[in-house]
Amino acid sequence: MLGEGILKGMAETARNFFGSYVSKERLTTVQYPEEREKLTETARVFPFLVYDEGMKNGEQAEWLAGLRCTSCQICEKECPPKCIFIEKSKDKKLDAFGKAQFYPVRFDIDVAVCMSCQICVEVCPFDSIKMDNQFELSTDDRFGGLLIPVEGLARSNSYYNTIHPTEAAAVDKHRQETKAMLAAKAKAAADAAAAKAAAKPGEGA
Amino acid sequence: MFATLDQIFIILRNLVLGYLPEVVRPYVSVVLSVVCIVAVFPGLFALTTVFERKGIARIQNRLGPNRVGPFGLLQPIADGIKSLTKEDIVPTTANGAIHFLAPLVLVVAVFMGFAVLPMGRNMVLVDMDCALLFYFAMGASSELAVFMAGWSSRNKYSLLGAMRAVAQMISYEVILLLSGLAVVMISGSLSLTKIVEAQNVYTGWFPHWFIFTPWGLAGFVMYAIAATAETNRSPFDLPEGESELVAGYHTEYSGFKFALFFLGEYLAMFSISGLGATLFLGGWSAPFSFLSWVPSWIWFFSKLMLSIFVFIWMRGTLPRLRQDQLMNFAWKFVLPFTLYNLMVTALWRFMGDGWERWVACTALVIAGYVLLGRISMRREHFGPRSYRYAE
């Protein structure tokens, strides 16, 4: 009969209407500023720069001394919307592997331009730039506030471990292995040099 | 005590009038009543907007507005301030005078309808003999406002929306009138107070509301359909179908003028619900004889708010119709059925008071509904379309 479907539909919406007052499962809305859902481990919004804790370089702050970034500028060149600006330092500092590297004196990322594509993370050979899950980046200052400088971007490795535990553990493992490998290589080289030095006098004799 | 409460507004008005000289009394009396109408219904409008948003949210298992004030009840105040502070933009190519007048004409025309609605015992602004006719005349002039708005904006979406609106409103105006006519045939009067009095009769506990008769129920359903279309409410909200027409005839309106259109739409909804309650639901009369002590205006406003709830419920349920579906429905089903219902009403009128008329009219109404529904709303199958050159 004509109108049957309408009545069925009205019954369905009435069930929803009254059901939403009775059962809490129906209301899926999260009341955002007061309630927050836990972010998943894979949540990613905006890049940050990782620094290793406990590093020292003269008068420099801990974050700058431990900064993994060597200002190689690969990310700056690869960034599709060109939101990264890097200025390389004149001097060098020792990195976590004991190698002298440049470091960034300026490293700005424009929040308004960044599109969270993660390409900078993919291309970084130093595991320096990673994605943060911090999404409340709005500001009332649309010029200065949206351009985040290096001191605003630096986060410790332990912070990285808290937001992306699995990924960070893999990175740490890889870095340890590299460090061990480098150490072994250095030791082998030193041994070889020592052996050479030891063999030299004999040869001359 | 309850008799006083029933007539409280009349008593208060007479109290105020008692302090005034004899000459100005009729004028002040009218002004007072008008001020009450102009204050009460926009107040109801403000409440309805927030209840509508909350109701639809609940239908969709959401929470609805809950930030401004307790339970979001102060939301309409925030909305009002927002629309007052917004810039009023008039398109450079618009016809300024008509563009300015359209929202005013709409609101004024809609307010005029309230003048003849009996909102309680003795609570009617103008007790006209031809109140129903006056009401329909005023309802028809709101179409003019809609077309003024659409035409003067000089925007194709506005114009399309306005043309749709006029086509729709004229089609359904006929149905609205004809379904109201059944009531006039039985009560024998165009005066709304007389129509309410005709229904304010009880057999045992039960009232003689027209909705409890077969022709009245059919008439009420048709009236409700026509009223929904007439007030441009979902599912008949094609004039402002935002998916295809931006916002229809009020696309080029902003700020307070837009708020006036919004107000006009809701006021039309109130007044048409009020008329529906008056014609079919017994106006201000109580649903059971033992509840007659409750003030009459409470009954009128609860019936009105119940109708509003159904409007909101329908909006939360039904998707928008297509233009051809809308027109087909009006001319192929609703109008023939309303005409048929007039004949059933005539039969009811001349069959006397026995039980036979109940049986005969119920059977006729159901048979007519089923048959007309089968025949005129039949889906037509044209078969697969064949192309001569494209294939």
Side-chain angles (χ1 to χ4, degrees):
Chain A
M1 209 166 73
L2 194 67
E4 233 174 302
I6 292 177
L7 291 181
K8 266 185 210 158
M10 302 273 280
E12 184 60 39
T13 43
R15 205 174 303 135
N16 276 329
F17 181 82
F18 293 110
S20 69
Y21 286 99
V22 182
S23 78
K24 279 272 167 276
E25 297 94 77
R26 277 177 182 273
L27 295 172
T28 51
T29 311
V30 177
Q31 298 282 300
Y32 162 61
E34 294 93 32
E35 292 172 31
R36 281 154 193 275
E37 280 200 324
K38 204 172 173 298
L39 290 169
T40 57
E41 209 184 306
T42 44
R44 58 183 179 86
V45 181
F46 187 68
F48 70 98
L49 296 173
V50 189
Y51 70 85
D52 293 309
E53 291 127 310
M55 300 268 295
K56 276 207 175 63
N57 183 31
E59 295 293 292
Q60 275 176 353
E62 193 198 13
W63 64 266
L64 187 53
L67 210 60
R68 289 180 188 171
C69 180
T70 61
S71 55
C72 67
Q73 291 174 314
I74 294 176
C75 52
E76 186 184 25
K77 286 172 188 128
E78 290 291 342
C79 179
K82 297 275 172 277
C83 68
I84 303 177
F85 175 80
I86 301 173
E87 203 176 294
K88 203 182 250 189
S89 64
K90 296 279 185 290
D91 56 328
K92 290 188 176 183
K93 70 174 178 61
L94 293 180
D95 67 359
F97 305 113
K99 195 173 173 192
Q101 297 276 26
F102 291 107
Y103 59 92
V105 285
R106 271 188 73 183
F107 194 115
D108 300 335
I109 304 184
D110 195 334
V111 183
V113 180
C114 176
M115 59 183 200
S116 310
C117 65
Q118 205 179 301
I119 286 177
C120 51
V121 177
E122 310 287 340
V123 299
C124 182
F126 300 97
D127 287 318
S128 164
I129 191 161
K130 293 290 172 196
M131 294 302 275
D132 204 340
N133 62 8
Q134 177 60 37
F135 56 89
E136 286 153 322
L137 297 164
S138 51
T139 168
D140 52 6
D141 173 13
R142 72 190 166 109
F143 300 108
L146 290 172
L147 194 71
I148 301 190
V150 64
E151 52 268 35
L153 290 169
R155 299 272 186 285
S156 69
N157 191 31
S158 55
Y159 173 78
Y160 180 37
N161 269 290
T162 53
I163 57 165
H164 302 308
T166 323
E167 193 189 307
V171 168
D172 280 351
K173 188 163 170 262
H174 178 244
R175 283 174 72 84
Q176 300 265 300
E177 282 166 10
T178 316
K179 208 169 190 175
M181 200 189 75
L182 281 174
K185 211 182 230 174
K187 193 160 178 280
D191 286 351
K196 219 175 194 178
K200 231 170 199 169
E203 204 181 59
Chain B
M1 165 66 196
F2 289 118
T4 321
L5 214 56
D6 186 32
Q7 295 298 304
I8 183 91
F9 300 112
I10 312 291
I11 294 169
L12 282 177
R13 189 189 66 190
N14 290 343
L15 197 73
V16 173
L17 291 181
Y19 292 107
L20 296 167
E22 198 78 43
V23 200
V24 294
R25 270 185 201 172
Y27 305 103
V28 176
S29 162
V30 168
V31 168
L32 277 177
S33 310
V34 168
V35 165
C36 282
I37 288 173
V38 170
V40 165
F41 285 95
L44 265 184
F45 154 69
L47 272 180
T48 308
T49 51
V50 66
F51 284 135
E52 169 156 29
R53 287 174 65 184
K54 284 191 93 72
I56 285 182
R58 287 293 175 164
I59 281 170
Q60 297 160 352
N61 288 328
R62 292 184 289 111
L63 283 164
N66 60 354
R67 295 282 143 174
V68 193
F71 304 105
L73 283 176
L74 299 181
Q75 187 70 41
I77 297 174
D79 289 344
I81 293 171
K82 177 183 155 233
S83 64
L84 274 174
T85 51
K86 270 196 162 181
E87 189 189 353
D88 178 28
I89 300 165
V90 181
T92 41
T93 48
N95 189 325
I98 298 179
H99 190 267
F100 173 77
L101 275 179
L104 295 180
V105 171
L106 181 76
V107 172
V108 168
V110 171
F111 263 127
M112 294 290 266
F114 286 107
V116 293
L117 282 185
M119 298 171 198
R121 198 175 279 119
N122 305 328
M123 276 169 69
V124 56
L125 180 56
V126 195
D127 189 6
M128 264 188 236
D129 286 339
C130 55
L132 196 63
L133 203 62
F134 174 82
Y135 184 90
F136 285 131
M138 282 303 137
S141 36
S142 66
E143 279 153 46
L144 177 70
V146 167
F147 198 72
M148 278 164 76
W151 179 80
S152 67
S153 296
R154 204 180 175 121
N155 172 327
K156 50 184 168 295
Y157 296 115
S158 297
L159 190 59
L160 272 172
M163 288 173 76
R164 277 182 178 194
V166 170
Q168 171 183 333
M169 285 164 113
I170 287 175
S171 307
Y172 281 92
E173 189 85 50
V174 180
I175 297 155
L176 200 72
L177 257 157
L178 287 176
S179 53
L181 200 59
V183 173
V184 177
M185 280 167 72
I186 293 295
S187 62
S189 172
L190 281 167
S191 157
L192 290 177
T193 42
K194 293 246 172 61
I195 288 172
V196 175
E197 272 159 29
Q199 297 177 79
N200 196 12
V201 186
Y202 296 88
T203 307
W205 282 357
F206 300 102
H208 285 206
W209 293 359
F210 291 140
I211 193 178
F212 298 133
T213 57
W215 61 269
L217 183 64
F220 179 69
V221 172
M222 295 304 123
Y223 179 88
I225 292 169
T228 316
E230 197 68 12
T231 48
N232 299 333
R233 289 283 301 180
S234 180
F236 302 108
D237 58 347
L238 284 110
E240 47 182 283
E242 51 275 269
S243 56
E244 62 257 31
L245 288 182
V246 193
Y249 57 88
H250 48 55
T251 303
E252 293 296 355
Y253 283 89
S254 52
F256 200 66
K257 283 186 199 158
F258 177 78
L260 278 182
F261 270 111
F262 206 52
L263 175 74
E265 186 188 324
Y266 276 81
L267 286 179
M269 206 161 88
F270 292 138
S271 89
I272 220 152
S273 304
L275 185 73
T278 308
L279 290 182
F280 297 98
L281 304 176
W284 43 259
S285 68
F288 295 105
S289 57
F290 57 84
L291 284 175
S292 298
W293 52 269
V294 179
S296 53
W297 42 272
I298 289 188
W299 289 122
F300 178 81
F301 281 99
S302 29
K303 282 167 194 172
L304 195 140
M305 290 321 281
L306 194 73
S307 320
I308 300 296
F309 177 75
V310 176
F311 269 123
I312 294 170
W313 187 8
M314 285 207 292
R315 186 182 160 191
T317 308
L318 303 174
R320 185 179 299 131
L321 266 69
R322 219 167 47 214
Q323 185 73 22
D324 62 319
Q325 291 170 334
L326 176 94
M327 285 303 176
N328 278 348
F329 187 55
W331 294 106
K332 284 168 76 180
F333 177 71
V334 187
L335 183 65
F337 186 68
T338 318
L339 284 171
Y340 173 78
N341 189 42
L342 278 185
M343 282 180 252
V344 177
T345 316
L347 190 70
W348 173 275
R349 172 78 176 76
F350 292 111
M351 259 182 93
D353 277 335
W355 56 270
E356 295 96 339
R357 67 172 184 179
W358 282 89
V359 178
C361 290
T362 311
L364 277 174
V365 163
I366 293 174
Y369 181 79
V370 173
L371 278 177
L372 257 177
R374 281 276 165 82
I375 295 163
S376 57
M377 296 313 284
R378 189 173 44 208
R379 257 183 223 130
E380 286 174 37
H381 295 284
F382 295 107
R385 179 179 285 214
S386 63
Y387 298 93
R388 223 171 127 195
Y389 298 109
E391 275 170 347

